[in-house]
Amino acid sequence: TTDCSHLCPLTANFGYLPLLLMRSGEDVDIILTRLREVKAFQRFPPPLLLQICACAFYECLEKGITLFRQGDIGTSWYAVLSGSLDVKVSETANHQDAVTICTLGIGTAFGESILDNTPRHATIVSRETSELLRIEQREFKSLWEVRTSVLKSVCSCKYELGLHDSIPSEKLQRAGKVLRNAILSRAPHMIRDRKYHLKTYRQCCVGTELVDWLVLQSACVLTRSHAVGMWQALLEEGVLNHVDQELGFQDKYLFYRFLDDEEEDTPLPSEEEKRESEEELPETILFLAQIGPDALLRMILRKSPGQRTGDDLEIIYDELLHIKALAHLSNTVKRELASVVIFESHAKAGTVLFNQGEEGTSWYIIQKGSVNVVIYGKGVVCTLHEGDDFGKLALVTDSPRAASIVLREDNCHFLRDVEANTVRLKEHEQAVLVLEKSPRASTLGSIKYTVISGTPEKILEHFLETMRMDIHHNPAVDDFVLMHCVFMPNSQLCPLLMERLEYAHNSKRRVLILVLRWANTHTYLLQEEPAAISFLEELYGSLSNDSRMLRALKDLVPDLEKIVKLQYVSQLLHVKISLDVLFLLKVYCSDQTYTTIRVAVAATGREVISAVADKLGTTEELLLIHLSSSGDKQILKPNDVSVFSAVSINGRLFACPRDQLNSLTPLPDQEGPSAGSMSTFELMSSKDLAYQMTMFDWELFSCVHEHELLYHTFGCQSFRRTKANLDLFLRRFNQVQLWVVTEVCLCGQLSKRVQLLKKFIKIAAHCREFKNLNSFFAIIMGMSNPAVSRLSQTWEKLPTKFKKFYAEFESMMDPSRNHRSYRLTVTKLEPPIIPFMPLLLKDMTFTHEGNKTFIDNMVNFEKMRIIANTIRQVRHCRSQPFNPEICQPNKNQAEVRGYVRKLCVIDNQRALTQLSYRLEPRRT
């Protein structure tokens, strides 16, 4: 400390005198005026402010002064009047290892550890010349006993650990009040005086009981960890408090107290307040369920890496999966990062994270907020936002920071990693393989490397050389086997594998292991490629003719023999995949007559047009058009594959000369039904309907080959393959969604519409019970369609119980945090599962469009890995067979089955909206 009276005219009034009673009334008034200029103190009641003025001291620190160190026993509490201070934490006893986790600005306070004489949790160093208000331990304890809740509102736990969030405190305070009132109404025994170790704690709850209670209140509370995060959100804002001021909520026998119970004279809620809380409870729980995961994540990231549990690492890993800056990394590397990444926050805009020219020690990812990148002589050159990263280049190249990073707004959160290590293998001065070192050593003590990018040949070579032959499942090799068709067709792969057979026995064994995985993954697709069949036959013949090789690989040869025989039998029986299957296709003419042609499933637009021209006997140049029920026309390209599978639900294919294009009009049957079918299915059991929908969906889902997901993502034209099975499955999703909208909009009677909504909610609930998430989401999205959601009179008549069910179901569709609610739901389910396919395809498309397939003429293998992981999710969903006995069939099962497989719908949104307005016109 130093004499800074020239900076603060109040120095003399605060004084350094131990005799506090020497302060005059005028002194106290001057100090009071100064404190009221600090926003944090404006909330303090006048009596408390006067007490602080009477007992507080003034201190001024020059830049770089250490106020106290981590591990010291504290003697004073502090509040920041001007300037800023860095909070540094070390995981070792060496203070030189300390890292800055945040910066305390004006109005923040710290040092409440003096209440129980625990060691300081961090080292505090002045970042600039700073003025502090200091209260010694004895006086602070006296103030705390009287004004606990008020003093907590400025204590450093909200800033030092990065807990302060942008969610309005008023909303969380109301949430805490609603939960407290609900507990007092439903389970009053939970809030009572508790005795523990001869000490009495007033009006407390137990952590485990709070979690138990919250999990039972709503299905949108997905796990106990989810509930912990929800309580943590309240703890961070001081709406709920640990009796010993612990900063993290725990699902243990620990005591917590609501803010309203801090004061002894707080009255119990009135009957009207209880009633209001009961009405608000579902919405309150839904709100907390949405912010709980973020609070839980912050709490976990505050732990030192050595204290993180397996569940903690999974939660961090799930967060890392959705960070844009990490999209290029493998899932293996992300799992390693989960164990070393730490959380850092800074409270004030203008804080300099690091300066240009400084040594790089960390790599940062912006979790919340934004920063400016500043270069000397150029000023602000760009702004980085949530999901962006910076600082990695200085680590990899061991060079000084190329720019300064300055916080652009208050309360910025970062994830920070102190390691980044990349290995580039070169041939003839050109990079051919890029590997990234894993932060953690393998169990054998050697360093693990993950392939980031490389030439196809080098990637294959790397996997063959590093393949562990004693491990049955190797995710990296599986990624290659599944994804190689994108960057390395079989015509290139097979010769390279044959070349490797010339190497030593270990190399031959690795080749054979990889070939077996390759053949099992591609199965019948190999029948389409004579080169692949020839390779398998040649490989088997080579092994059979070489007795020495046969002995060395005798445990693997029988598996290869089975594969070769299977391919041979399939060819003899002419068992071909869908590319060779012919089917009948109706194609309409401009006069609305039609012709029927026989084409392959994978037929291109050109082949369809050719077949139509031959059938009609015309030489005119024809166009192939997709005509929707709304009259929209789309000219299909000559090389479009499987054109029939892209037709919309009520769409039709037309062939006509260009000059007749404008005269095309939809067919009458494209409009869809004119009357609803409620009279048909209202007597059918909701469970039976859901069961038959699930049976049909499972049939469609089972037929989707993993590679169809690749064809959808990268384009069928690139592979000359069909994705007809996937298209039919997606078409079914749209059909179920439109079925809901159609039935509601064609139901003219209000009471019947209410019954319809109840029926659909019941069917959705049973679909979820059967783990048919595809139809479950289709039904809920149908009910969310504007043509249905705007029917306020109908929704008002819906019983409260069903409204709650619908709100819970709709919360699963919440797209925030990359559909975290849905993803958490899926992780709790065991296969068989019918997943929400549109979201899986969105994940793959996002990865594809956001990342180049080739970087510097090398395959971006990280992209391949991420897409392969999504495909593995589909594989996991089908890893167990569907049990048709989950529902006991009723007598009318055949009728139900026939109904759900032939749903008639209106697919014209404009027509549905018009029907909706006829049912319930706009209110004037």
Side-chain angles (χ1 to χ4, degrees), residues 3 18 158 224 262 396 418 422 430 442 472-473 490 494 602 724 864 874 923:
D3 182 6
K158 287 186 169 45
R224 293 187 72 83
E262 293 286 352
V396 175
V418 296
T422 302
Q430 293 292 321
S442 72
H472 177 69
H473 176 67
N490 287 331
C494 295
M864 304 299 118
V874 174
R923 292 182 178 179

Side-chain angles (χ1 to χ4, degrees), residues 572-621:
L572 285 178
L573 296 176
H574 302 287
V575 177
K576 299 289 188 178
I577 63 168
S578 56
L579 281 177
D580 290 334
V581 174
L582 299 177
F583 77 108
L584 295 176
L585 178 65
K586 278 185 180 180
V587 181
Y588 291 83
C589 302
S590 56
D591 60 359
Q592 298 196 343
T593 60
Y594 68 86
T595 184
T596 304
I597 59 173
R598 187 181 295 274
V599 293
V601 170
T604 63
R606 181 180 292 106
E607 290 167 341
V608 170
I609 283 294
S610 177
V612 171
D614 288 345
K615 191 75 177 287
L616 296 177
T618 180
T619 58
E620 283 189 277
E621 185 178 344

Side-chain angles (χ1 to χ4, degrees), residues 631-899:
D632 294 333
K633 305 178 186 72
Q634 178 191 1
I635 300 176
L636 301 180
K637 298 175 183 177
N639 36 335
D640 284 346
V641 180
S642 291
V643 290
F644 86 96
S645 65
V647 177
S648 60
I649 294 172
N650 289 344
R652 299 291 185 269
L653 286 179
F654 280 75
C656 69
R658 185 175 292 276
D659 59 3
Q660 295 178 11
L661 181 61
N662 293 333
S663 64
L664 297 183
T665 56
L667 303 167
D669 67 345
Q670 287 186 250
E671 293 180 4
S674 57
S677 60
M678 184 180 178
S679 58
T680 302
F681 75 88
E682 68 177 336
L683 298 178
M684 297 177 183
S685 157
S686 299
K687 191 169 186 177
D688 288 346
L689 285 164
Y691 171 73
Q692 288 297 338
M693 291 173 73
T694 302
M695 288 286 287
F696 188 33
D697 286 358
W698 182 257
E699 288 177 25
L700 295 173
F701 179 49
S702 299
C703 291
V704 178
H705 194 277
E706 292 175 356
H707 280 80
E708 291 188 66
L709 304 177
L710 290 180
Y711 307 153
H712 177 90
T713 303
F714 289 88
C716 292
Q717 290 77 12
S718 304
F719 302 91
R720 182 57 171 82
R721 298 282 191 179
T722 178
K723 58 182 181 71
N725 296 313
L726 176 60
D727 287 337
L728 289 174
F729 186 47
L730 295 175
R731 178 190 176 104
R732 176 62 178 180
F733 178 88
N734 294 333
Q735 188 180 39
V736 172
Q737 183 178 343
L738 288 166
W739 169 58
V740 173
V741 187
T742 299
E743 293 298 333
V744 173
C745 290
L746 289 176
C747 185
Q749 199 174 339
L750 177 60
S751 59
K752 289 282 188 182
R753 285 202 302 279
V754 174
Q755 292 302 314
L756 260 179
L757 291 185
K758 290 169 61 178
K759 187 83 169 180
F760 286 132
I761 290 172
K762 288 179 182 178
I763 295 171
H766 287 303
C767 283
R768 189 174 71 163
E769 175 190 345
F770 296 146
K771 295 180 283 190
N772 181 359
L773 300 181
N774 206 60
S775 280
F776 169 78
F777 271 90
I779 293 170
I780 299 304
M781 288 179 73
M783 297 178 74
S784 302
N785 186 285
V788 177
S789 62
R790 64 163 299 277
L791 299 173
S792 55
Q793 296 173 36
T794 308
W795 287 98
E796 285 169 4
K797 296 287 185 181
L798 189 68
T800 303
K801 179 177 74 170
F802 285 89
K803 288 180 182 176
K804 288 181 179 178
F805 282 142
Y806 177 70
E808 289 177 7
F809 294 165
E810 200 174 33
S811 71
M812 285 181 60
M813 294 170 52
D814 180 12
S816 64
R817 310 294 296 173
N818 198 18
H819 295 271
R820 177 181 293 225
S821 180
Y822 165 77
R823 296 180 197 278
L824 284 173
T825 299
V826 173
T827 58
K828 295 197 304 180
L829 300 179
E830 293 294 328
I833 305 164
I834 305 177
F836 179 33
M837 185 60 77
L839 181 58
L840 288 171
L841 294 176
K842 175 194 163 192
D843 288 346
M844 293 177 66
T845 302
F846 179 81
T847 301
H848 173 52
E849 294 181 351
N851 300 274
K852 294 180 179 179
T853 302
F854 294 93
I855 300 175
D856 297 331
N857 297 318
M858 293 187 293
V859 178
N860 181 0
F861 199 73
E862 281 305 301
K863 174 178 176 175
M864 304 299 118
R865 198 186 311 277
I866 296 168
I867 291 176
N869 188 57
T870 304
I871 295 176
R872 265 197 292 271
Q873 294 176 39
V874 174
R875 187 182 298 175
H876 169 73
C877 290
R878 299 191 298 204
S879 59
Q880 295 296 325
F882 180 72
N883 179 14
E885 298 178 1
I886 57 174
C887 181
Q888 292 297 322
N890 291 331
K891 294 179 181 178
N892 64 339
Q893 281 299 302
E895 182 185 355
V896 179
R897 182 177 185 274
Y899 175 78

